[in-house]
Amino acid sequence: MTDLVNITIDGIPVEVEKGTLLIRAAEKVGVRIPRFCDHPLLSPSANCRQCLVDVAMPGRDGVVRPMPKPQPSCAMTATEGMEISTQATSAQAARAQAGTMELLLINHPLDCPVCDKGGECPLQNQALELMASGAQSVTRFTDVKRAFPKPLRLTSNVLLDRDRCILCQRCVRFAAQIPGDAFITLQGRGAGHAGGELTGGLYSEQIGRFDSTVLDFTDPSVDLDALETVRGESYLAPEADLAGPGGDPGVVDGRAYGPLGNDELDVSGRPFASYFSGNIIQICPVGALTSARYRFRSRPMDLVSTDSVTEHDASGSAIRVDMRRGVVLRRLAGNDPEVNEEWITDKDRFAFAWSSLSDRLSVPLVRDEATGELVPTSWSDALDVAARGLEQARANGGVGLLPGARLTLEDGWAWSRFARTVLGTNDIDQRVRDHSAEEDAFLAARVAGTGLGAVTYRSLETAGQVLLVGLEPEDECGSLFLRLRKGVRAGGVAVASVTSVLTRAASKLNAQTILTAPGGEADAVAQLATSHPALVEALGGEGATILVGERAAAVPGLLTAVDALVTSTGARLAWVPRRSGERGGIEAGLLPHLLPGGHPVADDVARTRVQQAWGVETTGLHARSPLPATPGRDTTAILTALADGELGGAVVGGVDLRDFPDPGLARTALACSGFTVQLEVRRSEVSEHADVVLPVAPAVEKNGTFVNWEGRVRPFGQAHASRARTDRQVLGMLAQEMGTDLGCESLTTLHTELAGLGLWRGPRDAVLTAPEDAPTESGEAGRSGVTGLVALLATHKPMLDDGRLQDGEPFLAATALRPVARLGADIASTLGVSGGDTVRVSTRTGSIELPAVVGGVADGAVWLPECSAGSTVRQSLGAHHGSAVVVSPAARTANDTEVVR
């Protein structure tokens, strides 16, 4: 039972939970106390002292006595009988706050007219409020203000103007508490001046990266000769592409990162910072932290803002899109306590330029029969060519559809309906990744048509025990990682992970890691009751949850083992895909064996319900063919059928050929396709094989709905009014050209049909048992090959990789983890390889060369990033997770990073 206490705030009685911060209690009764360092999602620090209030409280004798000095309301908790007087009723509190403000402004440059924060700055707003209330309005400070060289590049994305910093430490506390990436700190002591030592060589107090030259300890690995004194401050490196005052270059803090070391570098060669560093820009209460992309680009009053949802992962994170004159200038985190709270990943924040690059499609393209080149044409001509081509392809064996997994729910509904009612086929699959019949059964039994279940972001905070299988949440769903870490820090959850590679996230979650050989995860899960009985017992507790990632489909038997573990322990289960439209695509029927709402294709009742929802009449004057009753081909089968000539054509959405399980098969299939129609935002490799290319709108130019990994519906608005058509509209016009009304023109009608169909509540088949003779290559590991050692390959995609949705953002790309090859200690020892040496990982298809990092994987294994610069595993090696590869030392050259034979 909650322990409540009674207090008064400015004479208003209020009842709050014991231990509530006074600043939160004041908010309950509508009293706002000024603050800078306070943030509701960060631990209190009382750095800025702007929230001072008068406090009186009962003594041991019960007499209420005032405390001698004002107290910081952000750090003091409520107890029975307290009497709080804020600046509204206490002259002493008002004077204290005014004095604090005057102190904060002593060294502040007061450059509001050119500051990015001007117009949305808490410091600016509260200073003006105080002046309006009669506080000191003219500075009494007559000395020279402290100045620093600026801007200081903290990361490629984040720039720091230390002149403006008020040392509230919001950024420092965020980095340490929320993602656990202590890449920034408060260093030095006292006021001082830039480059000036006070005592013992300590620099003036300032925010910066961990730097041994500032923190005043000796690091013999640092090459101080490579650093310079810039405008009076020592140990800096000038940055020519940053503009400082007077045209001087900006600076990079000295690369003397003693406490961090150089184990994990980003692409720019600096120690990796964080996937969430951009959040410190948004929570900075002044203009000290700015974005490299947004700096000096606009003022807040010039922006048009629209609430939206990220298109980069399945988190469903709320974002705000800010535009000026039709151009997206920045994204900010939206505030949604049920999903992402107030945090988003750097990918969500900065990766928005991809849809406005020079290869953006604006008009339809049709392949000229004479030249073989794609040429611009009108919509009517393109639709006519596409309709005739698809009708011929349907007659020549049928059409396969590969829509991709980044569609909205509404667009996915249109794709599903177009396949079944216009082309008369179930050969449709959104999965551009590993997939299997086992996964088909798992999705039908455990995921499709289940809606928002018991596993949510909020439930994970107090789940007790969470088991991760085939999932690296920091890389694949950033908001999920942050919520798990929040629960771990609060003591509400313990995390365990069955994984083939040890990651930063595991250590930050204090996770119990069950390290397995790549491909051996199914056996590890099946044997948990024997190998980790305490974990299995914990999974039987109230709220315990198993989170399984989409990569589990790559390991035969793993989803079956997870299903059996859920059944035996009673644990909750959630499936976490990587792409934003994957869960919504399942609900829309973008799988060969499922119709919308999880209705099985092979079930007569389910099929009849969908026919009725779509208005498909099979009798009477307007009779049409019923929906096909046989489950269709999956992605691999569609590609194989195209390559073999069994299918006459294809309709392809937003896919990257490098992501397919076999990119070579995908290229062959498209080359052999009799007729191909592409719906895409930008020209891609698929365009080179397409006969008709129809441009469609990106997420920023349409409204719609994503469904996140929880099953939560996430609608969003149209940020940019444009003439681009959505997939739904394009398919509707194409269906009309082929003589069928798709019925998707009206969003109101579409949503009514969705609601009317509902979710499948009929029988569900059990998850398939994986075949006992599933191929395994575990016996190959460690065997000596002709040119090196045979190892088992582990691979997954880091959050920041070489994906097309990150194109056009060089600042973000530079913050990605440097691609490396992680070697098992036994392989490194046998080959005589040390950390930093270049190794070659090869197959018969090709090879990849990367710097080596020893450890972090099981013996006999090697891990590579799946689709990063210099490491496109599926394309270069023709390999997948669990494949046997050959590892050997290699001589590193400047231009030899990836070889494809």
Side-chain angles (χ1 to χ4, degrees):
M1 185 175 179
T2 305
D3 189 5
L4 300 177
V5 296
N6 294 283
I7 62 175
T8 61
I9 300 176
D10 290 340
I12 304 172
V14 57
E15 188 177 56
V16 298
E17 291 184 20
K18 185 177 182 180
T20 299
L21 294 175
L22 298 185
I23 201 168
R24 303 282 171 267
E27 290 170 354
K28 284 194 64 175
V29 294
V31 176
R32 191 181 189 283
I33 301 171
R35 85 289 302 269
F36 295 117
C37 68
D38 173 71
H39 191 284
L41 298 178
L42 301 177
S43 299
S45 64
N47 285 323
C48 72
R49 318 303 284 185
Q50 189 61 48
C51 64
L52 296 174
V53 295
D54 276 339
V55 178
M57 55 195 305
R60 294 182 180 179
D61 56 2
V63 177
V64 177
R65 296 184 178 87
M67 300 185 74
K69 293 182 179 180
Q71 302 297 310
S73 58
C74 72
M76 196 169 190
T77 57
T79 59
E80 183 65 36
M82 265 189 174
E83 297 177 3
I84 296 97
S85 300
T86 71
Q87 71 281 359
T89 58
S90 168
Q92 183 178 356
R95 284 195 305 272
Q97 292 181 9
T100 298
M101 177 64 72
E102 188 175 8
L103 179 66
L104 292 177
L105 294 179
I106 279 179
N107 278 309
H108 195 79
L110 302 179
D111 55 351
C112 301
V114 298
C115 177
D116 288 341
K117 201 77 168 183
E120 57 183 9
C121 174
L123 179 67
Q124 185 182 56
N125 297 339
Q126 293 178 34
L128 292 174
E129 288 174 8
L130 280 170
M131 285 189 287
S133 67
Q136 183 74 27
S137 59
V138 179
T139 182
R140 294 177 286 178
F141 186 70
T142 59
D143 295 321
V144 177
K145 289 178 180 280
R146 181 183 59 192
F148 293 93
K150 64 180 182 181
L152 182 71
R153 188 183 287 281
L154 296 178
T155 73
S156 297
N157 269 324
V158 183
L159 308 178
L160 170 64
D161 285 357
R162 289 170 290 175
D163 299 357
R164 300 171 182 162
C165 180
I166 61 172
L167 303 178
C168 70
Q169 289 198 72
R170 273 191 181 185
C171 55
V172 175
R173 288 180 290 142
F174 168 83
Q177 296 170 18
I178 305 302
D181 299 317
F183 69 96
I184 187 172
T185 188
L186 183 64
Q187 51 195 16
R189 292 290 185 272
H193 59 88
E197 293 79 8
L198 294 176
T199 57
L202 294 181
Y203 280 64
S204 56
E205 193 169 31
Q206 59 188 269
I207 296 293
R209 296 290 293 266
F210 284 97
D211 192 325
S212 62
T213 62
V214 175
L215 296 176
D216 196 39
F217 65 86
T218 301
D219 185 353
S221 67
V222 175
D223 181 12
L224 297 181
D225 293 335
L227 306 177
E228 302 180 12
T229 298
V230 179
R231 296 194 293 279
E233 184 170 353
S234 305
Y235 306 120
L236 295 175
E239 183 91 346
D241 64 344
L242 289 181
D248 294 328
V251 294
V252 177
D253 50 338
R255 305 183 184 199
Y257 304 110
L260 290 182
N262 295 311
D263 288 340
E264 291 193 308
L265 301 178
D266 64 22
V267 172
S268 71
R270 309 177 73 221
F272 178 74
S274 175
Y275 285 141
F276 307 92
S277 62
N279 289 288
I280 67 176
I281 300 172
Q282 185 169 344
I283 65 173
C284 179
V286 295
L289 292 163
T290 58
S291 163
R293 167 170 277 275
Y294 179 70
R295 186 177 174 88
F296 300 140
R297 294 290 303 280
S298 180
R299 306 307 300 274
M301 61 284 293
D302 298 328
L303 300 173
V304 177
S305 302
T306 306
D307 292 333
S308 189
V309 176
T310 179
E311 78 274 33
H312 287 295
D313 59 26
S315 66
S317 295
I319 61 173
R320 193 184 92 188
V321 180
D322 287 347
M323 302 190 66
R324 180 173 183 259
R325 298 176 183 173
V327 177
V328 178
L329 292 186
R330 70 176 181 181
R331 283 179 171 179
L332 300 178
N335 185 358
D336 191 332
E338 297 302 319
V339 182
N340 59 301
E341 298 186 307
E342 298 183 34
W343 319 123
I344 55 175
T345 67
D346 287 354
K347 192 174 181 179
D348 295 337
R349 185 178 300 273
F350 298 116
F352 54 79
W354 67 272
S355 64
S356 57
L357 299 180
S358 58
D359 58 356
R360 171 72 186 270
L361 295 165
S362 57
V363 296
L365 304 175
V366 172
R367 194 163 298 280
D368 186 276
E369 294 182 0
T371 65
E373 299 294 325
L374 287 172
V375 295
T377 188
S378 66
W379 273 99
S380 58
D381 180 51
L383 292 172
D384 176 65
V385 173
R388 287 187 287 107
L390 290 178
E391 286 170 349
Q392 183 64 42
R394 181 172 56 183
N396 291 340
V399 178
L401 295 92
L402 301 169
R406 299 198 181 278
L407 298 172
T408 63
L409 178 63
E410 294 83 358
D411 287 343
W413 175 273
W415 274 86
S416 178
R417 190 164 177 174
F418 184 82
R420 272 87 185 206
T421 64
V422 179
L423 297 178
T425 181
N426 284 318
D427 291 342
I428 180 171
D429 198 339
Q430 67 176 348
R431 294 172 293 185
V432 190
R433 55 174 179 81
D434 291 305
H435 51 274
S436 64
E438 181 187 9
E439 188 194 38
D440 291 348
F442 177 85
L443 294 177
R446 292 288 191 175
V447 179
T450 57
L452 180 61
V455 182
T456 63
Y457 282 105
R458 192 174 291 276
S459 77
L460 290 176
E461 291 185 39
T462 55
Q465 180 68 58
V466 170
L467 175 64
L468 308 176
V469 180
L471 175 65
E472 295 297 337
E474 187 176 31
D475 282 328
E476 297 173 284
C477 190
S479 294
L480 173 59
F481 164 76
L482 293 184
R483 194 59 71 103
L484 285 172
R485 178 167 161 79
K486 181 181 179 182
V488 169
R489 292 188 73 242
V493 62
V495 176
S497 176
V498 177
T499 180
S500 56
V501 59
L502 300 180
T503 62
R504 292 164 48 93
S507 62
K508 290 186 288 188
L509 293 174
N510 295 326
Q512 175 187 3
T513 53
I514 303 166
L515 191 62
T516 70
E521 293 88 346
D523 290 339
V525 172
Q527 296 168 10
L528 282 178
T530 303
S531 61
H532 296 79
L535 173 59
V536 173
E537 182 180 355
L539 288 173
E542 183 178 357
T545 302
I546 298 175
L547 299 176
V548 59
E550 65 175 35
R551 290 186 288 112
V555 181
L558 181 52
L559 290 171
T560 304
V562 168
D563 181 75
L565 183 62
V566 169
T567 302
S568 64
T569 61
R572 298 171 177 174
L573 174 67
W575 178 73
V576 184
R578 191 174 188 270
R579 294 171 176 84
S580 57
E582 186 105 25
R583 180 65 190 270
I586 293 174
E587 303 303 336
L590 299 185
L591 291 176
H593 61 292
L594 289 176
L595 296 169
H599 291 71
V601 163
D603 189 287
D604 293 340
V605 175
R607 208 165 50 255
T608 300
R609 289 192 64 197
V610 176
Q611 282 182 177
Q612 293 172 348
W614 282 345
V616 177
E617 300 178 8
T618 57
T619 60
L621 182 62
H622 303 288
R624 294 159 57 187
S625 299
L627 300 185
T630 305
R633 298 176 173 94
D634 64 15
T635 295
T636 299
I638 289 172
L639 295 175
T640 301
L642 285 169
D644 293 343
E646 296 176 10
L647 284 176
V651 183
V652 185
V655 302
D656 188 334
L657 297 187
R658 297 173 300 175
D659 291 340
F660 281 94
D662 187 346
L665 173 61
R667 292 184 176 93
T668 301
L670 291 175
C672 294
S673 174
F675 189 81
T676 302
V677 176
Q678 182 190 26
L679 279 69
E680 183 56 287
V681 177
R682 295 163 50 207
R683 286 190 71 143
S684 68
E685 189 178 351
V686 176
S687 307
E688 306 311 311
H689 302 281
D691 297 282
V692 178
V693 180
L694 302 175
V696 293
V700 72
E701 296 178 21
K702 61 185 176 185
N703 51 22
T705 306
F706 286 126
V707 181
N708 75 348
W709 67 267
E710 304 168 283
R712 189 186 301 272
V713 175
R714 304 292 288 158
F716 61 91
Q718 182 176 355
H720 182 201
S722 79
R723 301 176 63 183
R725 294 175 168 90
T726 65
D727 290 66
R728 170 180 57 85
Q729 292 170 325
V730 170
L731 290 173
M733 293 189 299
L734 183 54
Q736 196 72 39
E737 192 72 22
M738 297 177 71
T740 302
D741 181 9
L742 198 59
C744 293
E745 185 62 29
S746 167
L747 277 177
T748 302
T749 302
L750 188 153
H751 287 148
T752 300
E753 291 178 352
L754 265 170
L757 175 61
L759 304 177
W760 175 243
R761 300 303 182 193
R764 296 173 184 260
D765 294 334
V767 178
L768 293 177
T769 302
E772 293 182 3
D773 59 348
T776 176
E777 300 175 82
S778 59
E780 298 287 315
R783 181 175 58 82
S784 180
V786 176
T787 58
L789 291 180
V790 176
L792 293 178
L793 176 66
T795 184
H796 74 272
K797 292 181 179 179
M799 179 188 293
L800 300 178
D801 59 5
D802 203 29
R804 282 172 55 83
L805 266 63
Q806 297 157 64
D807 288 351
E809 189 43 72
F811 299 117
L812 178 65
T815 66
L817 276 168
R818 178 187 59 160
V820 296
R822 297 189 178 275
L823 303 180
D826 61 331
I827 291 179
S829 175
T830 303
L831 295 177
V833 171
S834 302
D837 294 346
T838 301
V839 295
R840 173 179 286 124
V841 181
S842 57
T843 63
R844 294 177 180 176
T845 303
S847 63
I848 293 173
E849 295 184 6
L850 290 174
V853 173
V854 179
V857 294
D859 285 347
V862 57
W863 178 88
L864 298 175
E866 184 178 311
C867 189
S868 295
S871 180
T872 50
V873 168
R874 298 180 187 274
Q875 174 173 283
S876 302
L877 302 182
H880 54 82
H881 183 82
S883 293
V885 295
V886 176
V887 181
S888 59
R892 184 74 167 178
T893 62
N895 299 316
D896 184 21
T897 60
E898 185 170 7
V899 181
V900 182
R901 287 194 290 271

